[in-house]
Each structure stands twice: as C-alpha cells, then as structure tokens.
Amino acid sequence: MRLAHISDLHVLDLKGIKPWRFLNKRVTGGLNLLLGRSKIHRPELLELALAKIEALGCDHIAVTGDVSNLALESEFRRVKELLAGPIAAHKLSVVAGNHDRYTLGSVLTRRFDVAFEALIQTDLPQLPSVHGWPYVKLLGDVALIGLNTAVAQPIAVSGGRVGHKQLEALQHVLKHPDVEARYSVVMMHHHMFKPANKKREFPRGLSDRKEVLEVLLEGKADLVIHGHNHYYSTRTHPRSSNGSGVMVVCEAGSTTIARAHKDPNRDGKFNTYDIEHGRLSQVTTYRFVSGPGFVPWRRWGFDNRTPIRLPLALEQ
Ligand SMILES: [Fe+2]
Ligand SMILES: [Fe+2]
C-alpha cells in the first residue's frame, strides 16, 4: 500500500462571492490574502503533485486540511474540481483545517462536511462519532482514521481542539478489531508537538494535545499525519515506557508553496508512505523545485524505534 499525503492547499476562489460576506472574521483573512498568501500558494502545484502521485502508483491520497483560505463554497468547489478531476473519490480522504472552518457561519452550516461528504464516509458506521468524526476507512491492511481538530475560533486564533466526545469515540475506533488488526494511520490538521520553526504554541496549537497523545499511544496508533505549520517534520514517539513499538508523526508541509525559501523545510512538498505487511517500510518526501517540479528530497526507513535516513537513489 502506498499512501500519498498532501496538505495546506489554501486554494483561493472568490467567484460569485458578495462583498458583505467579508464583514466577519474574513476581514483578517482577506487582508492576509492581499498581503501575499494568494501569491505564495499556487493551484498549479497541486496539479503537478497529483500527476506525480499518479505516476508513483499511490493507492490513496490523504489531504490534511486547510484546502481553502476562507471556507467559501466557491473555494471548496474549486478544490473538488482540482482533486476530483484526476482522482476517483474512493481514492481520496480529507480532514478540515482551521481555514476550512474559518467563520462561525461555515461551522454552523457544516459547509466543509457537506462539500466533501463523499470523501469523509466511514466503513464502521456502528461506532460512536461526533457528527461523523472520526471516520474510518479500511484500505487493505491499513485503517485510515480522519480526526477533526478544526473548531470555531475567535479572530487571530488558529489553534484547534479534538474535544472530549470525539476523543472517546477515537478510543472506540482504535480498539475495534478491524482497526487493531491493521496498520493504523490517523490524519488530522493540527500538530501535537511544537514545530521547530515556532517559539510558542498559542494561538496556533491543539489545546488538548496531551489528552490526544495519550489516547493515540494507548490505542497503539502507528502513524499520525498532519499539516498546519507548512513545515516539514518527521519524528517518532515511543508507544510505551518499556520502549516496545513506536508511533511515527509526519508533516510534509504545504503542497502548493511555489516560492523557494532559505530554509528548505518550508518549500512545497508532499509525502508518500509505503506500508507493507503491517509495517511502515519508508517515508519519502517530494519537494517542489522550479523547473523539474516535485523531486525526491528525504527518505526515512524505520527499524523499530529509530528512524534511518535512506539514500534517494537516482530517480526523478
Ligand atoms: Fe495552512
Ligand atoms: Fe492551519
């Protein structure tokens, strides 16, 4: 099984949006856009990434949120066009980011969930959930779990929360025999560990990260993939005090960033995860380079507890 991971697409589309819809939290988001976000994130990179993912023979694509900028219907429509053009819906899974639940109106109408209904269906409907979260997809020997961390927040707060009820539901999911028997991958937007490029967590982090981490470790989650920081990171966390087993935690970064930074961790990226016989054999990160497009940049293998840097070989 080869799983692809894209994130933080930040697709902008204001087609048909009336000016008064900016008279809310979008005032700050709109200002951000004017200050350059719309130039930084380029939808053509998403098309290039999807073509590369297709060429790499990936079986499924996980999208870890912030697909939009302002949680507008026009943006969600455009994202669906970009994704669903080349990729069949059964090969896609998505979770919401803070930008996808940007305003109270978008949260109350569950605009993201309605727009992406076909991609957030669960294979275990008998399990408890909070408005359908978390959902589970049984994909061969992998169980892919979509967790919602995006909640309504005041202006200038981009943090998230899983919440007590959804955490209880997650405990049930991780204990289900169909999940326990598989390699479990949890996808969510926000991070649990402070990213290397940030000094402080507030107002960006997951407010219940300690509880979330506890449930994931207790439930023996194998791999956690997330977005939000637009910053590459691969790390491991021991699953028990006696050191038996490890949980791998990965952020690829934003897939649609076209600008080359001094710090390459910030450039446009996506990940692939090769999962064979119930274990993660390797994680490969592809980085966008103007000209050749997405090229292999980092590769890690995992020998129980220790990540091992692998050679990239001669490939494009
Ligand atoms: Fe983002
Ligand atoms: Fe975010």
Side-chain angles (χ1 to χ4, degrees):
M1 159 76 161
R2 178 170 281 176
L3 175 69
H5 173 201
I6 60 176
S7 197
D8 295 79
L9 312 177
H10 289 284
V11 170
L12 174 70
D13 196 317
L14 304 178
K15 240 177 262 154
I17 301 299
K18 306 283 188 238
W20 57 81
R21 295 198 59 192
F22 288 85
L23 296 177
N24 54 26
K25 195 180 166 187
R26 288 197 190 98
V27 168
T28 51
L31 209 65
N32 253 334
L33 287 172
L34 289 174
L35 293 175
R37 200 187 263 275
S38 66
K39 287 199 188 88
I40 294 169
H41 296 276
R42 309 285 291 272
E44 54 272 31
L45 264 76
L46 174 57
E47 292 172 307
L48 284 174
L50 292 175
K52 182 80 183 181
I53 285 166
E54 175 78 13
L56 290 166
C58 293
D59 301 289
H60 200 87
I61 304 176
V63 191
T64 51
D66 277 0
V67 299
S68 67
N69 282 297
L70 303 167
L72 292 163
E73 298 90 340
S74 53
E75 292 180 318
F76 291 155
R77 247 191 326 267
R78 182 76 187 117
V79 173
K80 284 202 293 187
E81 279 167 16
L82 287 163
L83 289 175
I87 313 289
H90 72 274
K91 285 189 158 192
L92 281 166
S93 297
V94 65
V95 293
N98 50 302
H99 280 265
D100 306 320
R101 302 203 197 277
Y102 204 65
T103 57
L104 190 59
S106 68
V107 173
L108 293 176
T109 57
R110 304 184 58 231
R111 191 176 294 145
F112 176 90
D113 303 49
V114 171
F116 294 98
E117 192 185 3
L119 312 186
I120 60 173
Q121 295 299 315
T122 188
D123 288 336
L124 299 173
Q126 71 276 24
L127 289 179
S129 74
V130 182
H131 300 300
W133 300 92
Y135 67 84
V136 189
K137 291 190 187 176
L138 305 175
L139 309 166
D141 56 359
V142 170
L144 183 62
I145 300 159
L147 195 63
N148 180 53
T149 61
V151 292
Q153 295 282 26
I155 285 178
V157 176
S158 58
R161 189 173 62 250
V162 173
H164 186 65
K165 276 191 176 166
Q166 198 189 177
L167 268 180
E168 265 183 21
L170 178 64
Q171 282 176 314
H172 285 280
V173 167
L174 289 168
K175 273 190 203 141
H176 191 279
D178 285 349
V179 174
E180 272 192 328
R182 290 173 162 83
Y183 186 88
S184 55
V185 181
V186 177
M187 53 190 296
M188 58 187 184
H189 181 64
H190 291 83
H191 54 274
M192 291 182 291
F193 304 106
K194 192 167 83 61
N197 63 332
K198 300 285 179 207
K199 284 205 174 78
R200 57 192 171 85
E201 280 290 77
F202 185 80
R204 320 181 52 260
L206 200 56
S207 61
D208 49 2
R209 76 177 72 80
K210 260 175 87 179
E211 293 86 344
V212 178
L213 182 60
E214 244 174 64
V215 168
L216 291 172
L217 292 173
E218 201 185 288
K220 295 192 168 52
D222 292 301
L223 169 65
V224 177
I225 61 176
H226 67 89
H228 192 50
N229 303 302
H230 305 187
Y231 200 80
Y232 166 81
S233 152
T234 296
R235 59 185 298 158
T236 57
H237 198 284
R239 284 205 304 211
S240 63
S241 50
N242 68 10
S244 63
V246 77
M247 184 170 78
V248 180
V249 182
C250 292
E251 173 170 16
S254 165
T255 306
T256 52
I257 291 181
R259 182 186 290 176
H261 293 90
K262 259 191 201 157
D263 178 354
N265 292 303
R266 296 174 62 199
D267 292 347
K269 294 191 190 66
F270 70 85
N271 276 355
T272 62
Y273 307 95
D274 289 320
I275 299 156
E276 289 155 7
H277 311 298
R279 63 178 283 273
L280 180 63
S281 59
Q282 59 183 31
V283 177
T284 308
T285 301
Y286 293 80
R287 175 185 168 212
F288 177 75
V289 179
S290 183
F294 284 94
V295 293
W297 180 65
R298 290 276 187 282
R299 178 166 290 146
W300 295 96
F302 299 91
D303 178 17
N304 192 18
R305 296 183 64 182
T306 325
I308 305 159
R309 180 98 172 252
L310 300 175
L312 288 168
L314 289 174
E315 57 175 301
Q316 287 304 312

